[in-house]
Amino acid sequence: MFESQHDDRTCYGLVFEFLPSTLYTYIRDLRKVFKREPNIIETKLLTWQLFRGQAHLTNQKIIHRDIKPQNILVNPDTGLLKIGDFGSSKFFHAGEISHSYHVTRYYRAPELILKANLYGPEIDVWSCGCVLGEMLKCTVMWVGKTTENQLQLIAGTLGEPTENEIIAMKGRDLSMLSTSEIQEFYDRSSRSPLYNFQKLLPRAPADSIKLMTKILQYTPSERLCGPKLLSNSWFKEIFDPSTRRYNGKPIRILSMEDYRNAIAGDKEEGGTSATGTNTKENEGDDL
């Protein structure tokens, strides 16, 4: 890291090791190889690293605010993934007002579309869920033509938000939730988000769809992330030494030590979980 002074402002620069590709390019290349079928092992490998990176940012009280495939770096040879481009990021302070116009539209959480200005790292969890959906669909999951249309497409999958969900999103402009246009999407959608996701991601395995419904929730605090997500049995295969990637190579960038550290919250020195969670509460659907 380096810093420079510009009048009364201090600017910081981050220097990363070279990774030859972005997830955007990688998804495109895999789509050509697998003819629009998702490669589930590769999807699990990349998703686990993405959510672990997001959890690390949360530990450091950082909101990225523009997680998307173009800002995620990948080494196709090893499968290593790292989150990059922190130009829109900020430190999170509870109760602090933040601008709502952040995050590229396709990956923007519904509370931001509703112009919430009190939000936290949960907006990054939403973005990560959209990236997972993109890997499962082999193309962008919700392609909203406008901000309003983006919310309509989300509503067509998640259904109409309840009163409690609307309150939880803390939107300052709720008018988009009651237009005749969005009502048509409510009416066309099933009451079951699971069924709607199955229609949206027809090539995705059932267990992948189930996981998606836990991540992409209207209520920010209910979005599955952190140790609870990283310990989910959906990721079991990538920690099996016999598993091979699409190129026939074993997975060498992850180990059971990574798994144990991640589900413990990647504890910092001193023994305190950086997530502030009791890891015993995170036991359950783990490997």
Short mmCIF file of all heavy atoms in Angstrom, two decimals, residues 14-65:
data_model
loop_
_atom_site.label_atom_id
_atom_site.label_comp_id
_atom_site.label_asym_id
_atom_site.label_seq_id
_atom_site.Cartn_x
_atom_site.Cartn_y
_atom_site.Cartn_z
N LEU A 14 -3.53 0.57 -3.54
CA LEU A 14 -3.30 -0.82 -3.18
C LEU A 14 -2.65 -1.53 -4.37
O LEU A 14 -3.12 -1.42 -5.50
CB LEU A 14 -4.62 -1.52 -2.84
CG LEU A 14 -5.42 -0.92 -1.68
CD1 LEU A 14 -6.75 -1.66 -1.54
CD2 LEU A 14 -4.64 -1.00 -0.39
N VAL A 15 -1.58 -2.25 -4.11
CA VAL A 15 -0.88 -2.98 -5.15
C VAL A 15 -1.08 -4.48 -4.91
O VAL A 15 -0.73 -5.00 -3.84
CB VAL A 15 0.63 -2.65 -5.16
CG1 VAL A 15 1.34 -3.44 -6.27
CG2 VAL A 15 0.84 -1.16 -5.35
N PHE A 16 -1.69 -5.17 -5.88
CA PHE A 16 -1.95 -6.59 -5.78
C PHE A 16 -0.97 -7.36 -6.66
O PHE A 16 -0.40 -6.81 -7.60
CB PHE A 16 -3.38 -6.92 -6.25
CG PHE A 16 -4.46 -6.36 -5.37
CD1 PHE A 16 -4.94 -5.08 -5.54
CD2 PHE A 16 -5.01 -7.14 -4.36
CE1 PHE A 16 -5.94 -4.57 -4.75
CE2 PHE A 16 -6.02 -6.64 -3.55
CZ PHE A 16 -6.48 -5.35 -3.75
N GLU A 17 -0.80 -8.64 -6.35
CA GLU A 17 -0.04 -9.49 -7.27
C GLU A 17 -0.83 -9.64 -8.57
O GLU A 17 -2.05 -9.45 -8.59
CB GLU A 17 0.23 -10.87 -6.65
CG GLU A 17 -0.97 -11.80 -6.56
CD GLU A 17 -1.77 -11.63 -5.29
OE1 GLU A 17 -1.87 -10.48 -4.79
OE2 GLU A 17 -2.30 -12.63 -4.81
N PHE A 18 -0.14 -9.95 -9.63
CA PHE A 18 -0.78 -10.04 -10.94
C PHE A 18 -1.66 -11.29 -11.03
O PHE A 18 -1.20 -12.40 -10.80
CB PHE A 18 0.28 -10.08 -12.05
CG PHE A 18 -0.31 -10.31 -13.41
CD1 PHE A 18 -1.07 -9.33 -14.02
CD2 PHE A 18 -0.11 -11.51 -14.08
CE1 PHE A 18 -1.62 -9.53 -15.28
CE2 PHE A 18 -0.64 -11.73 -15.34
CZ PHE A 18 -1.40 -10.74 -15.94
N LEU A 19 -2.93 -11.10 -11.37
CA LEU A 19 -3.82 -12.19 -11.72
C LEU A 19 -4.28 -11.93 -13.15
O LEU A 19 -4.75 -10.83 -13.44
CB LEU A 19 -5.02 -12.28 -10.76
CG LEU A 19 -4.79 -13.13 -9.50
CD1 LEU A 19 -3.90 -12.39 -8.52
CD2 LEU A 19 -6.11 -13.48 -8.82
N PRO A 20 -4.16 -12.91 -14.03
CA PRO A 20 -4.29 -12.66 -15.46
C PRO A 20 -5.70 -12.48 -16.00
O PRO A 20 -5.87 -12.17 -17.18
CB PRO A 20 -3.64 -13.89 -16.09
CG PRO A 20 -3.84 -14.97 -15.08
CD PRO A 20 -3.74 -14.29 -13.74
N SER A 21 -6.73 -12.68 -15.19
CA SER A 21 -8.08 -12.62 -15.73
C SER A 21 -9.04 -12.01 -14.71
O SER A 21 -8.70 -11.83 -13.54
CB SER A 21 -8.56 -14.03 -16.11
OG SER A 21 -9.83 -14.00 -16.75
N THR A 22 -10.23 -11.69 -15.19
CA THR A 22 -11.31 -11.29 -14.30
C THR A 22 -12.37 -12.39 -14.33
O THR A 22 -12.40 -13.21 -15.26
CB THR A 22 -11.96 -9.97 -14.73
OG1 THR A 22 -12.61 -10.16 -16.01
CG2 THR A 22 -10.94 -8.86 -14.83
N LEU A 23 -13.24 -12.38 -13.35
CA LEU A 23 -14.30 -13.39 -13.33
C LEU A 23 -15.23 -13.20 -14.52
O LEU A 23 -15.78 -14.17 -15.04
CB LEU A 23 -15.08 -13.30 -12.01
CG LEU A 23 -16.14 -14.38 -11.78
CD1 LEU A 23 -15.52 -15.77 -11.81
CD2 LEU A 23 -16.86 -14.15 -10.46
N TYR A 24 -15.40 -11.98 -14.96
CA TYR A 24 -16.23 -11.71 -16.14
C TYR A 24 -15.71 -12.48 -17.35
O TYR A 24 -16.46 -13.18 -18.04
CB TYR A 24 -16.25 -10.22 -16.43
CG TYR A 24 -16.92 -9.85 -17.73
CD1 TYR A 24 -18.31 -9.77 -17.82
CD2 TYR A 24 -16.17 -9.58 -18.88
CE1 TYR A 24 -18.94 -9.43 -19.01
CE2 TYR A 24 -16.80 -9.25 -20.07
CZ TYR A 24 -18.16 -9.18 -20.14
OH TYR A 24 -18.78 -8.87 -21.32
N THR A 25 -14.42 -12.35 -17.61
CA THR A 25 -13.80 -13.06 -18.74
C THR A 25 -13.83 -14.56 -18.52
O THR A 25 -14.07 -15.34 -19.46
CB THR A 25 -12.35 -12.58 -18.92
OG1 THR A 25 -12.35 -11.16 -19.13
CG2 THR A 25 -11.70 -13.26 -20.12
N TYR A 26 -13.61 -14.97 -17.29
CA TYR A 26 -13.56 -16.40 -16.96
C TYR A 26 -14.91 -17.07 -17.19
O TYR A 26 -14.99 -18.16 -17.76
CB TYR A 26 -13.10 -16.56 -15.52
CG TYR A 26 -12.62 -17.94 -15.17
CD1 TYR A 26 -11.84 -18.69 -16.05
CD2 TYR A 26 -12.91 -18.51 -13.92
CE1 TYR A 26 -11.38 -19.94 -15.72
CE2 TYR A 26 -12.45 -19.76 -13.58
CZ TYR A 26 -11.68 -20.47 -14.48
OH TYR A 26 -11.23 -21.71 -14.15
N ILE A 27 -15.99 -16.41 -16.75
CA ILE A 27 -17.34 -16.96 -16.98
C ILE A 27 -17.60 -17.08 -18.48
O ILE A 27 -18.15 -18.08 -18.95
CB ILE A 27 -18.40 -16.07 -16.31
CG1 ILE A 27 -18.29 -16.14 -14.79
CG2 ILE A 27 -19.81 -16.50 -16.74
CD1 ILE A 27 -19.20 -15.16 -14.06
N ARG A 28 -17.21 -16.06 -19.22
CA ARG A 28 -17.41 -16.07 -20.67
C ARG A 28 -16.66 -17.24 -21.31
O ARG A 28 -17.21 -17.95 -22.16
CB ARG A 28 -16.91 -14.75 -21.26
CG ARG A 28 -17.11 -14.62 -22.77
CD ARG A 28 -16.32 -13.44 -23.29
NE ARG A 28 -14.88 -13.66 -23.11
CZ ARG A 28 -13.96 -12.70 -23.26
NH1 ARG A 28 -14.33 -11.47 -23.55
NH2 ARG A 28 -12.68 -12.98 -23.08
N ASP A 29 -15.42 -17.46 -20.87
CA ASP A 29 -14.63 -18.54 -21.46
C ASP A 29 -15.19 -19.91 -21.08
O ASP A 29 -15.22 -20.83 -21.91
CB ASP A 29 -13.17 -18.43 -21.01
CG ASP A 29 -12.48 -17.19 -21.58
OD1 ASP A 29 -13.03 -16.62 -22.55
OD2 ASP A 29 -11.42 -16.80 -21.06
N LEU A 30 -15.62 -20.06 -19.83
CA LEU A 30 -16.21 -21.34 -19.41
C LEU A 30 -17.51 -21.62 -20.15
O LEU A 30 -17.83 -22.77 -20.46
CB LEU A 30 -16.45 -21.34 -17.90
CG LEU A 30 -15.23 -21.51 -16.99
CD1 LEU A 30 -15.65 -21.47 -15.53
CD2 LEU A 30 -14.49 -22.80 -17.28
N ARG A 31 -18.26 -20.58 -20.43
CA ARG A 31 -19.51 -20.74 -21.17
C ARG A 31 -19.25 -21.33 -22.55
O ARG A 31 -20.01 -22.16 -23.04
CB ARG A 31 -20.22 -19.39 -21.29
CG ARG A 31 -21.60 -19.46 -21.95
CD ARG A 31 -22.32 -18.14 -21.84
NE ARG A 31 -21.62 -17.08 -22.55
CZ ARG A 31 -21.43 -15.86 -22.08
NH1 ARG A 31 -21.87 -15.52 -20.89
NH2 ARG A 31 -20.80 -14.94 -22.79
N LYS A 32 -18.16 -20.91 -23.18
CA LYS A 32 -17.80 -21.44 -24.49
C LYS A 32 -17.43 -22.92 -24.39
O LYS A 32 -17.78 -23.73 -25.25
CB LYS A 32 -16.63 -20.65 -25.08
CG LYS A 32 -16.97 -19.21 -25.43
CD LYS A 32 -15.73 -18.49 -25.95
CE LYS A 32 -16.04 -17.03 -26.28
NZ LYS A 32 -14.83 -16.30 -26.73
N VAL A 33 -16.73 -23.27 -23.30
CA VAL A 33 -16.28 -24.66 -23.12
C VAL A 33 -17.45 -25.58 -22.82
O VAL A 33 -17.59 -26.67 -23.39
CB VAL A 33 -15.23 -24.75 -21.99
CG1 VAL A 33 -14.90 -26.21 -21.69
CG2 VAL A 33 -13.97 -23.99 -22.38
N PHE A 34 -18.34 -25.15 -21.92
CA PHE A 34 -19.41 -26.02 -21.44
C PHE A 34 -20.76 -25.76 -22.10
O PHE A 34 -21.78 -26.31 -21.67
CB PHE A 34 -19.52 -25.91 -19.92
CG PHE A 34 -18.32 -26.43 -19.19
CD1 PHE A 34 -17.35 -25.57 -18.71
CD2 PHE A 34 -18.14 -27.80 -19.03
CE1 PHE A 34 -16.22 -26.06 -18.06
CE2 PHE A 34 -17.02 -28.30 -18.39
CZ PHE A 34 -16.05 -27.43 -17.90
N LYS A 35 -20.78 -24.92 -23.13
CA LYS A 35 -22.00 -24.71 -23.92
C LYS A 35 -23.17 -24.29 -23.04
O LYS A 35 -24.23 -24.89 -23.05
CB LYS A 35 -22.35 -25.97 -24.71
CG LYS A 35 -21.21 -26.54 -25.54
CD LYS A 35 -20.68 -25.56 -26.58
CE LYS A 35 -19.55 -26.19 -27.39
NZ LYS A 35 -18.92 -25.24 -28.33
N ARG A 36 -22.95 -23.24 -22.23
CA ARG A 36 -23.98 -22.65 -21.38
C ARG A 36 -24.35 -23.49 -20.17
O ARG A 36 -25.25 -23.16 -19.42
CB ARG A 36 -25.25 -22.32 -22.18
CG ARG A 36 -25.02 -21.27 -23.25
CD ARG A 36 -26.33 -20.87 -23.92
NE ARG A 36 -27.25 -20.29 -22.95
CZ ARG A 36 -27.20 -19.01 -22.54
NH1 ARG A 36 -26.26 -18.21 -23.00
NH2 ARG A 36 -28.08 -18.54 -21.69
N GLU A 37 -23.66 -24.60 -19.95
CA GLU A 37 -23.90 -25.37 -18.73
C GLU A 37 -22.91 -24.91 -17.65
O GLU A 37 -21.71 -24.82 -17.92
CB GLU A 37 -23.71 -26.87 -19.00
CG GLU A 37 -24.77 -27.48 -19.88
CD GLU A 37 -26.13 -27.53 -19.21
OE1 GLU A 37 -26.17 -27.62 -17.97
OE2 GLU A 37 -27.15 -27.47 -19.93
N PRO A 38 -23.35 -24.64 -16.45
CA PRO A 38 -22.41 -24.22 -15.40
C PRO A 38 -21.53 -25.38 -14.96
O PRO A 38 -21.98 -26.52 -14.90
CB PRO A 38 -23.33 -23.77 -14.27
CG PRO A 38 -24.59 -24.58 -14.46
CD PRO A 38 -24.74 -24.71 -15.95
N ASN A 39 -20.27 -25.10 -14.70
CA ASN A 39 -19.40 -26.11 -14.11
C ASN A 39 -19.50 -25.95 -12.60
O ASN A 39 -19.02 -24.96 -12.04
CB ASN A 39 -17.96 -25.93 -14.59
CG ASN A 39 -17.04 -26.99 -14.00
OD1 ASN A 39 -16.50 -26.81 -12.92
ND2 ASN A 39 -16.90 -28.10 -14.69
N ILE A 40 -20.15 -26.89 -11.96
CA ILE A 40 -20.50 -26.72 -10.55
C ILE A 40 -19.28 -26.70 -9.63
O ILE A 40 -19.21 -25.90 -8.68
CB ILE A 40 -21.50 -27.81 -10.10
CG1 ILE A 40 -22.81 -27.65 -10.88
CG2 ILE A 40 -21.78 -27.68 -8.61
CD1 ILE A 40 -23.47 -26.28 -10.73
N ILE A 41 -18.29 -27.53 -9.90
CA ILE A 41 -17.09 -27.54 -9.05
C ILE A 41 -16.40 -26.19 -9.10
O ILE A 41 -16.03 -25.61 -8.08
CB ILE A 41 -16.11 -28.65 -9.48
CG1 ILE A 41 -16.74 -30.03 -9.26
CG2 ILE A 41 -14.80 -28.54 -8.69
CD1 ILE A 41 -17.10 -30.34 -7.82
N GLU A 42 -16.25 -25.67 -10.31
CA GLU A 42 -15.60 -24.36 -10.46
C GLU A 42 -16.44 -23.27 -9.80
O GLU A 42 -15.91 -22.36 -9.17
CB GLU A 42 -15.39 -24.07 -11.94
CG GLU A 42 -14.22 -23.14 -12.22
CD GLU A 42 -12.86 -23.77 -11.95
OE1 GLU A 42 -12.79 -24.99 -11.68
OE2 GLU A 42 -11.87 -23.03 -11.97
N THR A 43 -17.74 -23.36 -9.94
CA THR A 43 -18.63 -22.38 -9.33
C THR A 43 -18.50 -22.41 -7.81
O THR A 43 -18.43 -21.36 -7.15
CB THR A 43 -20.10 -22.67 -9.72
OG1 THR A 43 -20.24 -22.51 -11.14
CG2 THR A 43 -21.06 -21.70 -9.03
N LYS A 44 -18.44 -23.58 -7.23
CA LYS A 44 -18.29 -23.70 -5.78
C LYS A 44 -16.94 -23.16 -5.32
O LYS A 44 -16.86 -22.46 -4.29
CB LYS A 44 -18.45 -25.17 -5.35
CG LYS A 44 -19.86 -25.72 -5.53
CD LYS A 44 -19.95 -27.17 -5.12
CE LYS A 44 -21.37 -27.70 -5.31
NZ LYS A 44 -21.52 -29.11 -4.87
N LEU A 45 -15.89 -23.48 -6.06
CA LEU A 45 -14.55 -23.02 -5.70
C LEU A 45 -14.48 -21.50 -5.70
O LEU A 45 -13.96 -20.89 -4.75
CB LEU A 45 -13.53 -23.60 -6.71
CG LEU A 45 -12.09 -23.11 -6.57
CD1 LEU A 45 -11.50 -23.53 -5.22
CD2 LEU A 45 -11.23 -23.65 -7.72
N LEU A 46 -14.99 -20.88 -6.73
CA LEU A 46 -14.95 -19.42 -6.85
C LEU A 46 -15.89 -18.75 -5.86
O LEU A 46 -15.55 -17.71 -5.27
CB LEU A 46 -15.30 -19.02 -8.28
CG LEU A 46 -14.33 -19.51 -9.36
CD1 LEU A 46 -14.91 -19.30 -10.75
CD2 LEU A 46 -12.98 -18.81 -9.23
N THR A 47 -17.06 -19.34 -5.66
CA THR A 47 -18.04 -18.75 -4.74
C THR A 47 -17.54 -18.76 -3.31
O THR A 47 -17.70 -17.78 -2.56
CB THR A 47 -19.38 -19.51 -4.83
OG1 THR A 47 -19.88 -19.42 -6.16
CG2 THR A 47 -20.41 -18.93 -3.87
N TRP A 48 -16.92 -19.87 -2.90
CA TRP A 48 -16.42 -19.95 -1.52
C TRP A 48 -15.38 -18.87 -1.27
O TRP A 48 -15.40 -18.18 -0.24
CB TRP A 48 -15.81 -21.33 -1.25
CG TRP A 48 -15.62 -21.62 0.21
CD1 TRP A 48 -16.53 -22.17 1.07
CD2 TRP A 48 -14.43 -21.36 0.99
NE1 TRP A 48 -15.98 -22.27 2.34
CE2 TRP A 48 -14.70 -21.78 2.32
CE3 TRP A 48 -13.18 -20.83 0.71
CZ2 TRP A 48 -13.77 -21.68 3.34
CZ3 TRP A 48 -12.24 -20.71 1.73
CH2 TRP A 48 -12.54 -21.14 3.03
N GLN A 49 -14.48 -18.68 -2.22
CA GLN A 49 -13.45 -17.65 -2.06
C GLN A 49 -14.05 -16.25 -2.07
O GLN A 49 -13.63 -15.37 -1.32
CB GLN A 49 -12.42 -17.77 -3.18
CG GLN A 49 -11.59 -19.05 -3.14
CD GLN A 49 -10.65 -19.11 -4.32
OE1 GLN A 49 -9.55 -18.56 -4.28
NE2 GLN A 49 -11.08 -19.78 -5.39
N LEU A 50 -15.04 -16.04 -2.94
CA LEU A 50 -15.69 -14.73 -3.03
C LEU A 50 -16.34 -14.35 -1.71
O LEU A 50 -16.15 -13.24 -1.20
CB LEU A 50 -16.72 -14.74 -4.15
CG LEU A 50 -17.59 -13.48 -4.30
CD1 LEU A 50 -16.73 -12.25 -4.58
CD2 LEU A 50 -18.62 -13.68 -5.41
N PHE A 51 -17.09 -15.29 -1.13
CA PHE A 51 -17.79 -14.98 0.12
C PHE A 51 -16.82 -14.93 1.30
O PHE A 51 -17.06 -14.21 2.26
CB PHE A 51 -18.90 -15.99 0.38
CG PHE A 51 -20.20 -15.62 -0.29
CD1 PHE A 51 -20.53 -16.12 -1.53
CD2 PHE A 51 -21.09 -14.75 0.32
CE1 PHE A 51 -21.72 -15.77 -2.15
CE2 PHE A 51 -22.28 -14.38 -0.29
CZ PHE A 51 -22.60 -14.89 -1.54
N ARG A 52 -15.71 -15.65 1.21
CA ARG A 52 -14.72 -15.51 2.28
C ARG A 52 -14.06 -14.14 2.20
O ARG A 52 -13.82 -13.49 3.23
CB ARG A 52 -13.66 -16.61 2.18
CG ARG A 52 -12.74 -16.64 3.41
CD ARG A 52 -11.58 -17.59 3.26
NE ARG A 52 -10.86 -17.73 4.53
CZ ARG A 52 -9.70 -18.35 4.65
NH1 ARG A 52 -9.14 -18.91 3.58
NH2 ARG A 52 -9.10 -18.43 5.81
N GLY A 53 -13.80 -13.69 0.97
CA GLY A 53 -13.25 -12.35 0.82
C GLY A 53 -14.22 -11.28 1.31
O GLY A 53 -13.82 -10.32 1.98
N GLN A 54 -15.51 -11.46 1.00
CA GLN A 54 -16.51 -10.51 1.46
C GLN A 54 -16.59 -10.51 2.99
O GLN A 54 -16.71 -9.45 3.61
CB GLN A 54 -17.87 -10.84 0.84
CG GLN A 54 -18.97 -9.82 1.10
CD GLN A 54 -19.61 -9.98 2.47
OE1 GLN A 54 -19.86 -11.11 2.91
NE2 GLN A 54 -19.87 -8.87 3.14
N ALA A 55 -16.51 -11.70 3.58
CA ALA A 55 -16.54 -11.79 5.05
C ALA A 55 -15.33 -11.08 5.65
O ALA A 55 -15.43 -10.43 6.70
CB ALA A 55 -16.58 -13.26 5.48
N HIS A 56 -14.18 -11.20 4.99
CA HIS A 56 -12.97 -10.53 5.49
C HIS A 56 -13.16 -9.01 5.45
O HIS A 56 -12.78 -8.30 6.39
CB HIS A 56 -11.76 -10.92 4.65
CG HIS A 56 -10.50 -10.21 5.05
ND1 HIS A 56 -9.82 -10.49 6.22
CD2 HIS A 56 -9.79 -9.23 4.44
CE1 HIS A 56 -8.75 -9.71 6.33
NE2 HIS A 56 -8.72 -8.93 5.26
N LEU A 57 -13.76 -8.50 4.37
CA LEU A 57 -14.02 -7.07 4.29
C LEU A 57 -14.96 -6.63 5.42
O LEU A 57 -14.76 -5.57 6.04
CB LEU A 57 -14.63 -6.71 2.94
CG LEU A 57 -13.73 -6.89 1.72
CD1 LEU A 57 -14.47 -6.51 0.44
CD2 LEU A 57 -12.46 -6.06 1.85
N THR A 58 -15.98 -7.44 5.69
CA THR A 58 -16.90 -7.13 6.79
C THR A 58 -16.14 -7.10 8.11
O THR A 58 -16.37 -6.23 8.96
CB THR A 58 -18.03 -8.17 6.85
OG1 THR A 58 -18.79 -8.11 5.64
CG2 THR A 58 -18.98 -7.87 8.02
N ASN A 59 -15.23 -8.06 8.30
CA ASN A 59 -14.42 -8.08 9.52
C ASN A 59 -13.65 -6.78 9.71
O ASN A 59 -13.45 -6.30 10.83
CB ASN A 59 -13.42 -9.24 9.48
CG ASN A 59 -14.09 -10.60 9.51
OD1 ASN A 59 -15.28 -10.71 9.79
ND2 ASN A 59 -13.33 -11.64 9.21
N GLN A 60 -13.22 -6.22 8.58
CA GLN A 60 -12.43 -4.99 8.62
C GLN A 60 -13.30 -3.74 8.54
O GLN A 60 -12.80 -2.63 8.40
CB GLN A 60 -11.42 -4.99 7.46
CG GLN A 60 -10.51 -6.19 7.41
CD GLN A 60 -9.72 -6.40 8.69
OE1 GLN A 60 -9.17 -5.43 9.24
NE2 GLN A 60 -9.67 -7.63 9.18
N LYS A 61 -14.63 -3.95 8.61
CA LYS A 61 -15.61 -2.86 8.54
C LYS A 61 -15.50 -2.07 7.23
O LYS A 61 -15.59 -0.84 7.21
CB LYS A 61 -15.48 -1.93 9.75
CG LYS A 61 -15.72 -2.64 11.08
CD LYS A 61 -15.79 -1.67 12.23
CE LYS A 61 -16.00 -2.39 13.55
NZ LYS A 61 -17.23 -3.20 13.58
N ILE A 62 -15.33 -2.81 6.14
CA ILE A 62 -15.26 -2.21 4.81
C ILE A 62 -16.44 -2.66 3.97
O ILE A 62 -16.76 -3.85 3.94
CB ILE A 62 -13.94 -2.59 4.10
CG1 ILE A 62 -12.74 -2.00 4.84
CG2 ILE A 62 -13.95 -2.14 2.64
CD1 ILE A 62 -11.40 -2.50 4.33
N ILE A 63 -17.10 -1.71 3.32
CA ILE A 63 -18.13 -2.03 2.33
C ILE A 63 -17.52 -1.76 0.96
O ILE A 63 -17.05 -0.65 0.69
CB ILE A 63 -19.40 -1.17 2.50
CG1 ILE A 63 -19.83 -1.10 3.97
CG2 ILE A 63 -20.53 -1.72 1.65
CD1 ILE A 63 -21.01 -0.17 4.20
N HIS A 64 -17.52 -2.76 0.10
CA HIS A 64 -16.89 -2.61 -1.22
C HIS A 64 -17.71 -1.70 -2.13
O HIS A 64 -17.19 -0.82 -2.80
CB HIS A 64 -16.71 -3.99 -1.86
CG HIS A 64 -15.94 -3.96 -3.14
ND1 HIS A 64 -16.49 -3.56 -4.34
CD2 HIS A 64 -14.65 -4.28 -3.42
CE1 HIS A 64 -15.58 -3.64 -5.30
NE2 HIS A 64 -14.45 -4.08 -4.76
N ARG A 65 -19.00 -1.96 -2.22
CA ARG A 65 -19.97 -1.17 -2.97
C ARG A 65 -19.86 -1.26 -4.50
O ARG A 65 -20.47 -0.46 -5.20
CB ARG A 65 -19.95 0.30 -2.52
CG ARG A 65 -20.26 0.49 -1.04
CD ARG A 65 -20.72 1.88 -0.73
NE ARG A 65 -19.68 2.88 -0.92
CZ ARG A 65 -19.82 4.16 -0.59
NH1 ARG A 65 -20.96 4.59 -0.07
NH2 ARG A 65 -18.84 5.02 -0.79
#
